[in-house]
Amino acid sequence: MSPAHVALGWASRLVVIAWIAAALVALAKGGLAPPVALEDIEERSARIRPWIEEVLETHAVSEREAQAVPEPEAKVVAAEPPAPEPAAAESRAEPMPESVAVDPGDLAAGATLLDGQGRFPPLSSSYGDFGSFGAYASAMRSLGARFVVVRQRQIVGDIDPATGAMRDDRADARFSPRARDYSDEPALERASHRARERFGPGARVMMLVPRGIDAALFGAIARRLRAQGDAPSELREIRARYRRGPAGGVELRVEGAERLDGAPVPLDLVFDLSAVAGLGEGA
């Protein structure tokens, strides 16, 4: 064997040794937290669907139009009806939904639901109140959420929802197994295209939220349902919407639910997700 062949053989061995060492380092770094196992995306994942509410516009009479209206003669002017008392006006206003305070008991109860001990229905939510997907995505990322590329229920990388930039990574058990599916989100068309180019046609862009947020929400919603005689396992879907909180944070308003037989279930609750996220981190 020539010296050149000997050198080539040693070079090949060194490359293999370097690959093995890199793999061991990567496993050592990621071995402290097990990867999150996503639930069946088709049946169990929360669905995020944008929608636009119909806005009723009031017609403002211009000053010129007002001047064109003939004024009645003084002798036929009738006295205007008295203005309603403030108390009466307030009584006709739409009641504000209850703001729910979550506690460690809700967190523990919700954690069992996330672990498969009992059924909790999909949470179908809107983010139309944010005005744009970008604003909503930024608000959720401030709570610790992250966007990932999922292929065959496996997380294969991180992705920036705005630029589509990707990096190989995995999510650990700090995140909820209820991935939010954004397959039909127009604002993510570019990111979804890049994900499919890199990981294949089955790759999808999803959002993961911290496990503590979903655990606290599920536990508190289940507590309220049981208090009014309903059970989460009897529901087909819970409807909610994300919106800006009064202090610039993020709120989730739960607006109702639907039983398996299609009957509506009244539910009107508001959660301060910043407070919910703090409870989850503390636990």
Side-chain angles (χ1 to χ4, degrees):
M1 181 179 295
S2 66
H5 286 87
V6 173
L8 181 60
W10 278 107
S12 301
R13 292 186 180 92
L14 290 175
V15 170
V16 172
I17 292 172
W19 284 349
I20 294 174
L24 291 175
V25 171
L27 289 174
K29 289 182 178 179
L32 296 179
V36 58
L38 297 182
E39 294 184 359
D40 190 331
I41 293 169
E42 296 299 330
E43 297 182 2
R44 299 292 301 277
S45 66
R47 296 190 297 278
I48 309 297
R49 295 193 292 236
W51 51 276
I52 301 175
E53 293 187 34
E54 181 180 0
V55 179
L56 299 179
E57 296 183 356
T58 57
H59 174 64
V61 180
S62 67
E63 182 179 354
R64 178 173 297 179
E65 290 174 329
Q67 292 176 353
V69 178
E71 296 184 1
E73 297 181 4
K75 62 181 181 180
V76 296
V77 172
E80 295 183 358
E85 295 294 330
E90 292 175 1
S91 65
R92 292 196 300 269
E94 181 183 357
M96 294 296 292
E98 178 183 355
S99 181
V100 179
V102 297
D103 56 42
D106 295 328
L107 191 66
T112 63
L113 292 170
L114 287 179
D115 292 336
Q117 301 177 36
R119 180 185 177 277
F120 195 85
L123 184 65
S124 183
S125 305
S126 160
Y127 52 83
D129 287 8
F130 277 84
S132 72
F133 178 81
Y136 163 73
S138 177
M140 293 303 294
R141 292 175 80 180
S142 71
L143 296 176
R146 62 187 284 194
F147 287 81
V148 296
V149 179
V150 177
R151 184 186 60 191
Q152 297 178 347
R153 296 180 61 189
Q154 298 295 319
I155 298 167
V156 293
D158 258 0
I159 189 164
D160 187 319
T163 66
M166 288 179 288
R167 63 186 178 92
D168 295 338
D169 199 2
R170 69 173 190 170
D172 58 39
R174 292 173 298 174
F175 290 93
S176 170
R178 291 290 186 97
R180 274 69 167 169
D181 190 351
Y182 289 96
S183 301
D184 300 326
E185 171 52 52
L188 285 177
E189 183 177 356
R190 177 183 177 185
S192 297
H193 178 71
R194 295 195 63 181
R196 290 190 296 269
E197 278 188 332
R198 180 168 178 180
F199 297 106
R204 290 186 281 180
V205 177
M206 297 188 173
M207 184 182 74
L208 300 181
V209 301
R211 177 182 172 89
I213 290 181
D214 271 358
L217 286 176
F218 291 2
I221 293 173
R223 169 168 55 88
R224 178 50 55 90
L225 285 170
R226 294 189 182 98
Q228 63 186 40
D230 295 297
S233 60
E234 300 172 351
L235 303 182
R236 173 182 300 164
E237 180 184 56
I238 296 176
R239 297 182 304 276
R241 71 167 69 189
Y242 292 96
R243 65 184 190 182
R244 285 286 186 191
V250 185
E251 290 183 343
L252 181 71
R253 178 173 181 179
V254 179
E255 299 181 315
E258 182 180 310
R259 291 192 177 92
L260 295 175
D261 61 3
V265 175
L267 205 59
D268 198 2
L269 310 170
V270 170
F271 294 92
D272 180 353
L273 292 190
S274 298
V276 171
L279 176 67
E281 291 176 358

